[in-house]
């Protein structure tokens, strides 16, 4: 349950983002917040997050004040092991223009949040469109189209075979591009159009690596994130034989 409900005055900007990281969709009250929640959902280093998580209260003389930060984020144990300084983090999402215009009003709220975080061993961070609206966000929005749901009308055997070919050929090629990978599989334009969505699906599933900080194109460098032994266990036929040969040439035992 969020600490503060989204009020009707925000309705034209508000909504909810579906997430697999918590049990219920998380609310946003601006398009910038929505974009930030998408970043959190896609980030494999984020364990879970919650919108409008707490309300911080403090007194200034006889006046009672309160402030509800936008999002609370917790990181995965693997991320914390790798970056020991990481702690649960309260985020405030604000456009730079609003920060500048309303700084005198916002500053006491942010100071209260910093004091609260020190007490509860958390961090407080402000994020703006400069951090959120990058090529990385555009790439995420593009890749979101290629979930399993997109292929729900394709039979499982066809899906499995098409992805098997792409994964095996990519492992064989090493570092390449989406266009070069398709050309290595087939030169038939119609067949390439059928296979291309599976490339982006495998990128989304973290089976294919790509630099998401750069705009995705058919010339973007891509590479396999799977080990040869993983592929051998999954595949048969000529692809298994070819991968075994590659592993043997590189003195890798299966």
């Amino acid at each position: 349950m969020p600490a503060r409900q989204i009020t009707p005055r925000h309705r034209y900007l508000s909504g909810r983002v579906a997430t697999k990281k918590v049990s219920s969709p998380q609310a946003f009250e601006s398009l910038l917040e929505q974009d930030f929640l998408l970043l959190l959902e896609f980030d494999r280093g984020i364990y879970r997050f919650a919108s409008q998580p707490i309300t911080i209260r403090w007194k200034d003389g006889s006046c009672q004040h309160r402030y509800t930060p936008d999002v609370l984020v917790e990181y995965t144990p693997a991320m914390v092991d790798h970056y020991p300084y990481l702690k649960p983090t309260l985020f405030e999402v604000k456009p730079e223009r609003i920060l500048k215009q309303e700084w005198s009003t916002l500053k006491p709220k942010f100071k209260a949040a910093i004091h609260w975080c020190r007490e509860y061993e958390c961090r407080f961070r402000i994020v703006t469109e400069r951090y959120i609206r990058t090529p990385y966000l555009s790439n995420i929005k593009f890749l979101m189209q290629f979930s399993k749901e997109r292929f729900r009308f394709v039979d499982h055997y066809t899906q499995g075979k098409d992805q098997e070919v792409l994964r095996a050929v990519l492992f064989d090629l090493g570092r390449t591009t989406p266009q070069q990978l398709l050309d290595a599989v087939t030169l038939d334009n119609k067949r390439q159009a059928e296979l291309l969505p599976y490339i982006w699906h495998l990128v989304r599933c973290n089976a294919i690596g790509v630099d998401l900080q750069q705009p995705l194109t058919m010339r973007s460098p891509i590479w396999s994130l799977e080990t040869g032994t993983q592929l051998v266990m999954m595949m048969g036929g000529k692809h298994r034989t070819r991968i075994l040969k590659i592993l043997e040439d590189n003195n890798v035992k299966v």
Side-chain angles (χ1 to χ4, degrees):
M1 188 67 156
R4 178 170 66 83
Q5 295 297 317
I6 305 299
T7 58
R9 67 189 178 87
H10 294 108
R11 190 170 294 156
Y12 69 103
L13 289 174
S14 66
R16 291 181 178 274
V17 168
T19 171
K20 295 180 180 179
K21 297 188 175 181
V22 288
S23 59
S24 60
Q26 295 300 295
F28 61 85
E29 55 184 13
S30 74
L31 297 180
L32 190 61
E33 281 185 35
Q34 180 187 31
D35 287 342
F36 183 60
L37 295 183
L38 287 175
L39 292 178
L40 299 179
E41 177 63 17
F42 197 84
D43 191 335
R44 294 179 177 85
I46 303 298
Y47 172 56
R48 59 186 174 183
F49 59 90
S51 299
Q52 313 289 335
I54 59 164
T55 294
I56 298 168
R57 293 177 171 84
W58 75 98
K59 279 188 175 182
D60 181 9
S62 60
C63 296
Q64 181 77 37
H65 301 278
R66 62 181 185 178
Y67 162 55
T68 304
D70 291 320
V71 188
L72 174 63
V73 171
E74 293 183 49
Y75 300 93
T76 63
M79 279 291 288
V80 175
D81 286 344
H82 196 68
Y83 302 103
Y85 62 85
L86 282 181
K87 299 177 181 179
T89 304
L90 285 174
F91 284 97
E92 177 67 22
V93 182
K94 278 283 185 291
E96 289 187 353
R97 174 179 57 84
I98 299 299
L99 279 178
K100 292 176 181 178
Q101 290 177 351
E102 303 180 11
W103 182 249
S104 60
T105 302
L106 294 171
K107 184 178 179 180
K109 298 180 179 181
F110 297 161
K111 287 182 67 176
I114 292 170
H115 289 310
W116 186 94
C117 286
R118 286 174 180 166
E119 181 178 354
Y120 290 95
E121 296 187 355
C122 298
R123 302 189 307 163
F124 178 71
R125 294 290 183 270
I126 303 167
V127 288
T128 69
E129 66 274 21
R130 190 189 298 267
Y131 168 86
I132 296 170
R133 290 186 171 150
T134 64
Y136 182 73
L137 176 66
S138 299
N139 290 336
I140 287 175
K141 289 183 174 181
F142 172 71
L143 292 173
M144 287 291 186
Q145 306 172 64
F146 300 96
S147 66
K148 289 183 179 179
E149 183 68 14
R150 183 186 181 105
F151 310 104
R152 64 188 183 279
F153 297 121
V154 182
D155 69 85
H156 292 301
Y157 178 80
T158 300
Q159 287 189 51
K161 282 298 181 183
D162 286 348
Q163 292 188 50
E164 178 182 302
V165 169
L166 291 168
R167 292 159 65 187
V169 173
L170 176 59
F171 186 81
D172 193 357
L173 291 174
R175 196 175 183 89
T176 185
T177 69
Q179 188 59 63
Q180 289 170 345
L181 174 57
L182 291 173
D183 289 342
V185 175
T186 178
L187 295 176
D188 180 82
N189 290 336
K190 181 179 179 182
R191 181 69 178 133
Q192 288 191 356
E194 293 171 348
L195 291 172
L196 180 58
Y198 290 116
I199 293 179
W200 301 128
H201 173 68
L202 291 168
V203 170
R204 175 175 173 161
C205 295
N206 208 36
I208 293 179
V210 68
D211 184 359
L212 292 176
Q213 303 297 336
Q214 302 297 324
L216 288 177
T217 72
M218 295 299 291
R219 297 184 298 277
S220 296
I222 60 173
W223 57 91
S224 176
L225 293 175
E226 301 177 285
T227 66
T229 51
Q230 286 175 322
L231 295 175
V232 164
M233 292 176 66
M234 295 177 188
M235 296 179 184
K238 63 179 182 180
H239 300 305
R240 177 186 175 91
T241 303
R242 175 60 183 151
I243 293 168
L244 279 169
K245 181 66 168 59
I246 296 171
L247 296 179
E248 181 183 338
D249 290 344
N250 287 276
N251 299 315
V252 178
K253 294 184 179 179
V254 179

